């Protein structure tokens, strides 16, 4: 009986992590075709600013990942993943606000933090 419970817990945890990662990867991917048009047509920006909008989140994620890993080791991966998911949800709301190019760059910066928190903590193995 104990083995079945442990297997069920592991399966439940895996399904939760897989669902969270699927949703967040989808949310990251959905903005890829939108940002270039938003920057160039709506915000009258340049191709360089389109590239900057994408680069900001990647660079921030790269810089924050070591700290996110340390945080996941100290606090546990589940709270860090939840924090990352919450940050990503907040950024999704920021995308809808008319904040111009500076607002878009700020949102992409914060998205990098959320990405680092979520994707660094996920492979650490959340405990049920």
């Amino acid at each position: 009986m104990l083995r079945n419970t442990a297997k069920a817990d592991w399966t439940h945890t895996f399904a939760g992590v897989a669902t969270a990662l699927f949703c967040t990867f989808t949310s990251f991917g959905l903005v890829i075709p939108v940002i270039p048009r938003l920057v160039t047509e709506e915000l009258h920006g340049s191709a360089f600013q389109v590239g900057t909008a994408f680069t900001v989140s990647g660079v921030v994620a790269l810089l924050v990942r070591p700290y996110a890993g340390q945080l996941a080791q100290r606090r546990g991966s589940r709270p860090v993943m939840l924090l990352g998911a919450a940050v990503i949800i907040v950024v999704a709301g920021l995308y809808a606000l008319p904040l111009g190019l500076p607002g878009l760059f700020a949102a992409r910066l914060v998205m990098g933090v959320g990405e680092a928190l979520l994707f660094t903590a996920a492979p650490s193995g959340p405990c049920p």
Side-chain angles (χ1 to χ4, degrees), residues 35-100:
I35 286 178
R37 280 193 172 176
L38 174 69
V39 171
T40 57
E41 293 176 13
E42 299 293 324
L43 302 176
H44 308 293
S46 65
F48 177 78
Q49 290 170 322
V50 171
T52 303
F54 283 108
T55 303
V56 165
S57 64
V59 169
V60 169
L62 180 68
L63 296 174
V64 172
R65 281 178 192 246
Y67 302 105
Q70 291 174 356
L71 185 63
Q73 287 178 339
R74 280 196 313 267
R75 304 282 186 191
S77 59
R78 178 171 282 163
V80 175
M81 284 180 65
L82 290 173
L83 177 62
V87 168
I88 291 167
I89 290 168
V90 168
V91 171
L94 291 177
Y95 284 144
L97 299 176
L99 301 175

